[in-house]
Amino acid sequence: DIVLTQSPALAVSLGQRATISCKTNQNVDYYGNSYMHWYQQKPGQQPKLLIYLASNLASGIPARFSGRGSGTDFTLTIDPVEADDTATYYCQQSRNLPNTFGAGTKLELK
Amino acid sequence: QVQLKETGPGLVQPTQTLSITCTVSGFSLTSYYMQWVRQTPGKGLEWMGFIRSGGSTEYNSEFKSRLSISRDTSKNQVFLKMNSLKTEDTGVYYCARGSSTTRVYDYWGQGVMVTVSS
């Protein structure tokens, strides 16, 4: 199984940039696409898709969110951070079965 | 608009069988994959399996021996059945719509909390 590693927590000030990383133990690229996706989850809610295929903004997601990376190293950036962005962020790979998720990064405000 | 809603028992006894229904609207089950994902305190988010738009299935080997996913396209419903439940299966169970091209889960149900306890 592909293992995704995320830092457990990140604290950022309002209006600043948050960078969340996700590293995989295997390449998740395939025929020009990176099968890495990012979700936001707030307490008591289901995960919400933010970024798909590493860098594509999902429908209705503000442009403050962006993603980049390829191969085994990926980042989600939120710039500028707003109060409503406090949540846990998960990366997920769909290159191989079983699809796997990172353990999540909890974003808090300083 | 796209909607997914899980319904299930809430409380299940150990060794018993869990049955959850995901009712969808706003799209056709014959055009999308439908995934089941669970979230447990012990393991976080886990992909359990999916049923393809054509009706074939794939399962996570972690659950393969006790998990079954099926659907009724006429009722716009997808079903999860898992037997031999253990206390570690306690968690929130989600259905999610997946695309066969991007392989991403773009819409999720609200989830159903399942507690395995005697």
Side-chain angles (χ1 to χ4, degrees):
Chain A
D1 297 2
I2 297 178
V3 176
L4 285 63
T5 301
Q6 298 183 245
S7 298
L10 178 67
V12 177
S13 301
L14 273 176
Q16 298 302 301
R17 175 184 299 173
T19 302
I20 297 170
S21 71
C22 178
K23 297 183 188 299
T24 64
N25 67 344
Q26 296 178 43
N27 193 318
V28 298
D29 293 350
Y30 187 68
Y31 281 98
N33 286 318
S34 295
Y35 286 88
M36 177 61 68
H37 321 293
W38 291 93
Y39 301 87
Q40 176 194 67
Q41 188 179 33
K42 297 180 179 179
Q45 296 185 16
Q46 68 271 51
K48 177 182 178 181
L49 178 65
L50 299 175
I51 300 287
Y52 65 96
L53 296 177
S55 61
N56 296 277
L57 199 63
S59 177
I61 303 302
R64 303 183 293 103
F65 293 87
S66 63
R68 61 180 299 165
S70 65
T72 62
D73 283 279
F74 298 87
T75 56
L76 171 72
T77 299
I78 311 169
D79 189 11
V81 167
E82 298 184 357
D84 188 52
D85 298 335
T86 53
T88 301
Y89 293 84
Y90 295 92
C91 54
Q92 177 242 325
Q93 68 79 23
S94 58
R95 170 65 179 86
N96 286 353
L97 294 181
N99 293 170
T100 47
F101 292 84
T105 298
K106 189 171 184 179
L107 180 66
E108 298 170 329
L109 294 180
K110 281 183 184 174
Chain B
Q1 74 272 30
V2 173
Q3 292 187 321
L4 299 82
K5 184 173 182 180
E6 306 89 344
T7 51
L11 177 66
V12 182
Q13 294 196 335
T15 76
Q16 297 300 301
T17 297
L18 172 65
S19 296
I20 302 175
T21 298
C22 173
T23 303
V24 309
S25 60
F27 67 98
S28 173
L29 293 177
T30 58
S31 297
Y32 289 88
Y33 286 27
M34 288 300 298
Q35 331 264 347
W36 287 96
V37 176
R38 76 176 187 179
Q39 190 166 28
T40 63
K43 291 197 171 183
L45 288 165
E46 285 183 283
W47 175 79
M48 301 181 72
F50 61 59
I51 184 164
R52 293 185 177 89
S53 54
S56 60
T57 53
E58 295 283 352
Y59 299 110
N60 188 331
S61 60
E62 286 281 315
F63 309 100
K64 191 167 187 174
S65 62
R66 57 192 186 113
L67 176 64
S68 173
I69 297 173
S70 60
R71 70 183 185 181
D72 184 335
T73 56
S74 68
K75 294 183 177 179
N76 294 319
Q77 292 180 325
V78 183
F79 309 106
L80 176 148
K81 284 190 188 326
M82 187 163 72
N83 58 33
S84 305
L85 284 194
K86 314 163 202 172
T87 54
E88 309 91 90
D89 293 317
T90 293
V92 181
Y93 287 72
Y94 297 100
C95 61
R97 188 181 84 165
S99 162
S100 60
T101 50
T102 60
R103 306 189 200 174
V104 68
Y105 317 152
D106 57 357
Y107 286 91
W108 295 59
Q110 64 193 21
V112 60
M113 178 68 203
V114 174
T115 301
V116 182
S117 174
S118 55

